[in-house]
Amino acid sequence: MSAEVQGAGPDVAAPQSRTFEADVAKLLHLMVHSVYSDKDVFLRELISNAADACEKLRYESLSNPSLLGDEQKAGIRITLDADNRRLGVEDNGIGMSGEELIEALGTIARSGTKAFVERLESAAQQAESSQLIGQFGVGFYSTFMVADKVEVFSRRAGSDVANLWSSDGKGSYSVAPIALEEAPARGTRVVLHLMEDAKSYAESFTIEQLVKAHSGHVPVPITLLDKPDAEPRQIADGAALWTRPKADIPAEDYTDFYRSLAGQFDDPALTIHFRAEGRQEYTLLAFVPGSRPFDLFDPQRKGRMKLYVRRVLISDEADLVPGYLRFMRGLVDSADLPLNVSREMIQESPLLTAIRKAVTGRVLSELEKLATSDAAAYAKVWENFGAVLKEGLYEDFERRDALLGLARFKTTTSAGEWRSLKDYVAGLKENQTAIYYLAGDDAKRLETSPHLEGFRARGIEVLLLADPVDSFWVTSALGFDGKPFKSVTQGTADLAAIPLADKPEEQAPETTSAVAAFLAFAKTTLGDDVSDVRASERLTSSAVCLVAPDLGMDRRMEQILASAGRLEGAMQKPVLEINPRHALVTKLAGVQEAGTDPAFVESATRLLLDEARILDGTVPSDPAGFAERLSQVLAKGLG
C-alpha cells in the first residue's frame, strides 16, 4: 500500500475488533450513503497504493536485499471473480504488519482531514463528484462506495506473520492473524465483495478500460486474471512515463498520469517535462494543478513532489521546490544521486540542492512562458495559486524579480481584471514616481476606501492587495523597474505635482484661515489619540481618514502583527487627515471660529475621529462616549 497505509509496531498476537476513529466513521458514512458521479476512482486509488508499496520495497531492499527473496520483480495483479462478485488487487510490495493495518486503516493521519470531511458533506448535498477523494490520503476508503465488505490480507516483507483486516464499512473493523498460505508471500491483497449494483467491476472489459484510462502509467507492471484460475495477462507494462521522449507522449497520457499521481480528476493547467544533461542528469515531470487543493494554506502542509533515483522511489514528499511552489505535483528522477544513503542524508546532498535550484528556475520560467503565450490560462493559475506564489516575494530574494514579473494584481482601474506590474508602470501618470498600493483583508471594501479618492481624481492606478501575505512582501520588496512601492495609507500623499484627471489646469484651493484654525483646535482636542492632524491631499469626497506617520509602519501591517501578538510595544498613534474642502469641515470651522458652541464643536471633532476609525475597519476606542456624542449631535441637528 502507499505511504498513507504504512505504520510501525509489533504484529498483533490475537484477533481484535475495533471501532473506526470518528473522522473515518463519518467519512465512510458519507461515501456509502452519498451519490457520486464517478465511483471508478476506487480502482485508481488501490493501484496507486499498490504501486507505492512496491516502490517502498525497492527502496528498503537497497539496504536489505534479503527482503526481495526469490521474487525480485515488482508487480500488481488484479483478479476477477464475476460469479461471486469479487475483485482482488494484489501487490508484492512492502506489506503491513497487524499493528500497521490498525494504524493505517483505522485512522486518517494526514493533515486537513476535518476540512476534507466537511467539504465532502457539502459535496454530498451539492452533487460534487468524487474528485474530492484521494486528495487527503483517504483513497482506500473509496472502496466502500462499491463494496459491502473489504478484506485486506497482508504480510510484511521479511516477516513470518500474516494478518487479515476486515470491515463492512459500518463503524467497526477486525484484525486477526491468519495462516501464511492465506496471504501473499509478501505484500498486500485487497479483496472487495462488490455490491449488486457494482458487479460490473468484476468484468474484465470494465477493469481493463479503467486501468488503461487512469493507471496505465504507474511504474509497476499490472496483470489481469479474468477469473481466479485464468492465466494472467499484462495490461500495463510498468514503463515510467517520464522515461519516454516528450514528442512520443500525447496530452491525454500526461493528463492520465497527472490524475494518478495527484489523486485529482481535473486537468493540469501546465505540464513541464524536461530532461537535464550535463553537470546534473535528471528528468523533471511536473504539473500545475487545474484547481486549488483544500489544504493549500495548511501550515504543516508539505510539497507533493516525488524523488526517484534511477526509477527507485526515495521520497514521496521530497523538498524539491520551495514552499511557495508547494502546489506543484510531479517528480524528479535523478541519475546522479546515491542510492545507498538515508532519506534524511539525501535531502542534505549538494547535488539535490543544485537540482532543487534548477527545478525551481525551470518552473518559474515555464510559468513566465505561459503568462506570455496564454494570458487567460495564466490568469486561472494566478487565481488559484497567486497568494502562495507571493510568499516567494519575501522568502526568495534571489528570484524576487522573476516573481514580481509573474505577479498579477486587481487595481482601481482594472475593472476586475488582472494586471502585471509591467502594465502598471507603462501607465504611470505625469510626475508619478511610485507604485501605489492599498492593503486590507476585503477586496470590495478596499475599492471603497476614502484613501483612494485623491488618486482616482488624478487617474492614478492603485494596487488592491487583499491577501494577508501582501502586507509582508511589499515592506521588503525594493520596487519594480526603479519605482518603489508606497502605501496610500502611510505618510503624506504627495499628490500636488500630479494634475487632476478632468481639470489638469486646476490646483487644489488653499486651506482657509478658519479651517487652519480648526485643524489646530482638533489636534489640541484629540491630544494623545493621534500623532498629528493635518489637511489631506488624498480626500475629495470624504471628510476624514486615518494614515500611518511618514516613518511609521503601514496601518494594515501593524494590525496583522497586533492581532498575532507579534507587535513590539504599543500601536503607533495614527495621523488624522481632514478634508479642508468638505462641507461638514468648513461649517464646523465656522462654528469653532465664532465660538458660539464650544461643547458641540468638541463633540463633533471627536466624532470625526470615530468616523475615521470606523472607515479604517476598527471601532471607536470609547463606544459609550461615541454613542453619547452621536446622540448629542443628532439632537442638536433635529432642533
Side-chain angles (χ1 to χ4, degrees):
M1 306 296 282
S2 72
E4 70 182 73
V5 290
Q6 298 297 320
D11 291 313
V12 292
Q16 302 180 51
S17 181
R18 296 169 175 258
T19 56
F20 287 110
E21 283 196 348
D23 282 335
V24 178
K26 191 173 185 179
L27 178 65
L28 288 171
H29 178 82
L30 288 168
M31 287 187 170
V32 173
H33 296 284
S34 301
V35 177
Y36 294 89
S37 61
D38 189 356
K39 296 183 179 182
D40 298 346
V41 61
F42 83 90
L43 185 61
R44 185 200 69 193
E45 295 298 325
L46 289 182
I47 291 175
S48 177
N49 288 347
D52 280 356
C54 292
E55 296 293 275
K56 294 290 191 299
L57 178 62
R58 288 180 66 187
Y59 177 79
E60 290 200 17
S61 67
L62 295 175
S63 57
N64 187 4
S66 64
L67 292 176
L68 294 176
D70 297 332
E71 196 172 10
Q72 298 285 315
K73 189 174 180 180
I76 299 171
R77 174 178 294 190
I78 301 175
T79 303
L80 305 179
D81 186 352
D83 293 339
N84 295 299
R85 296 206 313 270
R86 281 202 293 260
L87 164 68
V89 178
E90 181 176 334
D91 66 72
N92 60 354
I94 193 65
M96 289 176 284
S97 67
E99 194 63 34
E100 287 170 328
L101 284 168
I102 296 170
E103 180 77 15
L105 305 184
T107 65
I108 303 178
R110 283 196 177 168
S111 62
T113 299
K114 184 177 181 181
F116 172 76
V117 173
E118 290 175 353
R119 183 64 182 270
L120 200 57
E121 281 187 292
S122 175
Q125 299 172 359
Q126 300 174 16
E128 289 186 29
S129 73
S130 54
Q131 296 177 16
L132 306 180
I133 298 170
Q135 296 186 31
F136 283 80
V138 295
F140 169 79
Y141 304 108
S142 62
T143 55
F144 289 99
M145 295 190 299
V146 298
D148 49 27
K149 182 180 180 182
V150 177
E151 296 174 311
V152 181
F153 302 80
S154 194
R155 179 180 179 184
R156 208 179 202 287
S159 172
D160 58 359
V161 177
N163 291 275
L164 168 63
W165 181 98
S166 179
S167 177
D168 59 6
K170 296 179 180 179
S172 64
Y173 64 92
S174 65
V175 177
I178 55 174
L180 293 181
E181 57 269 21
E182 295 183 48
R186 71 162 186 264
T188 301
R189 180 192 309 128
V190 180
V191 177
L192 309 186
H193 297 259
L194 299 168
M195 300 174 184
E196 175 63 32
D197 60 358
K199 61 184 179 182
S200 62
Y201 292 114
E203 297 173 1
S204 58
F205 175 80
T206 300
I207 295 302
E208 191 166 355
Q209 291 300 111
L210 288 179
V211 170
K212 290 181 178 179
H214 301 308
S215 304
H217 305 299
V218 296
V220 179
I222 302 173
T223 57
L224 175 66
L225 281 70
D226 299 310
K227 57 180 67 174
D229 56 354
E231 285 294 317
R233 56 189 177 90
Q234 186 168 281
I235 57 175
D237 61 9
L241 182 73
W242 63 89
T243 63
R244 293 162 50 188
K246 185 176 179 180
D248 296 344
I249 305 175
E252 53 268 25
D253 284 4
Y254 279 125
T255 299
D256 291 342
F257 183 78
Y258 157 75
R259 291 174 177 174
S260 175
L261 182 78
Q264 299 185 193
F265 267 72
D266 56 352
D267 292 339
L270 178 64
T271 299
I272 305 171
H273 191 185
F274 171 71
R275 182 171 287 109
E277 297 178 347
R279 296 183 65 182
Q280 293 95 30
E281 291 189 17
Y282 64 89
T283 298
L284 167 67
L285 179 53
F287 305 91
V288 175
S291 59
R292 178 186 290 185
F294 302 122
D295 58 345
L296 184 63
F297 297 103
D298 190 313
Q300 296 182 346
R301 186 182 184 280
K302 297 181 180 179
R304 302 278 176 83
M305 294 284 287
K306 295 188 176 185
L307 175 63
Y308 287 80
V309 175
R310 295 187 289 279
R311 286 195 57 198
V312 175
L313 179 65
I314 301 301
S315 173
D316 54 6
E317 290 186 347
D319 183 20
L320 292 170
V321 291
Y324 61 85
L325 291 176
R326 61 182 176 271
F327 55 85
M328 297 294 298
R329 299 292 192 269
L331 58 89
V332 167
D333 190 353
S334 170
D336 302 321
L337 287 166
L339 281 167
N340 59 343
V341 294
S342 69
R343 300 186 188 196
E344 291 74 19
M345 290 176 64
I346 206 167
Q347 289 284 0
E348 300 172 1
S349 165
L351 277 173
L352 187 65
T353 300
I355 290 173
R356 184 187 301 118
K357 182 176 181 180
V359 166
T360 301
R362 185 75 184 193
V363 170
L364 296 183
S365 174
E366 292 296 326
L367 285 171
E368 183 180 6
K369 290 180 183 178
L370 179 65
T372 302
S373 62
D374 192 340
Y378 181 73
K380 293 180 181 178
V381 171
W382 186 261
E383 191 82 45
N384 285 328
F385 306 114
V388 177
L389 275 167
K390 283 188 288 188
E391 293 175 10
L393 291 172
Y394 72 89
E395 290 178 350
D396 194 344
F397 178 81
E398 181 182 351
R399 300 182 181 86
R400 185 175 293 165
D401 288 343
L403 289 165
L404 283 172
L406 290 171
R408 296 294 184 268
F409 303 94
K410 300 289 179 68
T411 76
T412 52
T413 63
S414 67
E417 299 298 319
W418 292 107
R419 294 265 287 170
S420 68
L421 290 175
K422 184 178 180 181
D423 296 331
Y424 183 101
V425 170
L428 289 176
K429 296 301 178 183
E430 181 184 353
N431 299 327
Q432 182 180 347
T433 59
I435 298 172
Y436 292 103
Y437 70 88
L438 174 62
D441 57 3
D442 186 328
K444 291 184 179 179
R445 186 168 162 185
L446 290 178
E447 293 176 3
T448 60
S449 171
H451 297 89
L452 299 173
E453 293 171 359
F455 295 88
R456 282 202 171 101
R458 292 164 173 81
I460 300 173
E461 187 173 20
V462 179
L463 307 180
L464 302 176
L465 309 181
D467 292 319
V469 67
D470 289 322
S471 294
F472 293 89
W473 71 260
V474 290
T475 60
S476 60
L478 299 178
F480 181 82
D481 197 20
K483 303 295 186 295
F485 293 99
K486 184 172 182 179
S487 170
V488 302
T489 68
Q490 184 176 18
T492 56
D494 296 329
L495 297 177
I498 304 176
L500 296 169
D502 53 349
K503 299 176 181 178
E505 72 285 353
E506 290 190 10
Q507 298 295 322
E510 294 291 330
T511 302
T512 66
S513 59
V515 170
F518 174 69
L519 293 178
F521 169 79
K523 183 174 182 179
T524 301
T525 300
L526 298 177
D528 291 339
D529 288 336
V530 295
S531 62
D532 195 11
V533 177
R534 66 188 178 209
S536 178
E537 288 182 345
R538 73 191 87 216
L539 295 175
T540 60
S541 57
S542 298
V544 289
C545 70
L546 291 177
V547 299
D550 290 10
L551 300 178
M553 188 183 301
D554 176 70
R555 297 279 296 162
R556 176 59 181 161
M557 181 67 167
E558 185 180 37
Q559 290 168 3
I560 290 176
L561 292 178
S563 64
R566 296 175 59 187
L567 185 66
E568 296 182 5
M571 293 186 69
Q572 63 190 354
K573 294 180 176 63
V575 174
L576 176 65
E577 287 199 355
I578 296 180
N579 183 353
R581 295 163 294 280
H582 195 278
L584 175 61
V585 174
T586 57
K587 288 181 180 180
L588 271 176
V591 175
Q592 193 269 332
E593 186 178 40
T596 56
D597 195 345
F600 168 77
V601 176
E602 180 178 349
S603 292
T605 301
R606 294 190 180 279
L607 279 177
L608 285 177
L609 177 58
D610 290 333
E611 178 185 347
R613 284 173 170 152
I614 292 171
L615 288 170
D616 201 43
T618 58
V619 297
S621 59
D622 179 12
F626 166 72
E628 183 180 351
R629 288 188 291 271
L630 183 61
S631 297
Q632 291 174 356
V633 171
L634 288 174
K636 185 175 181 62
L638 293 172

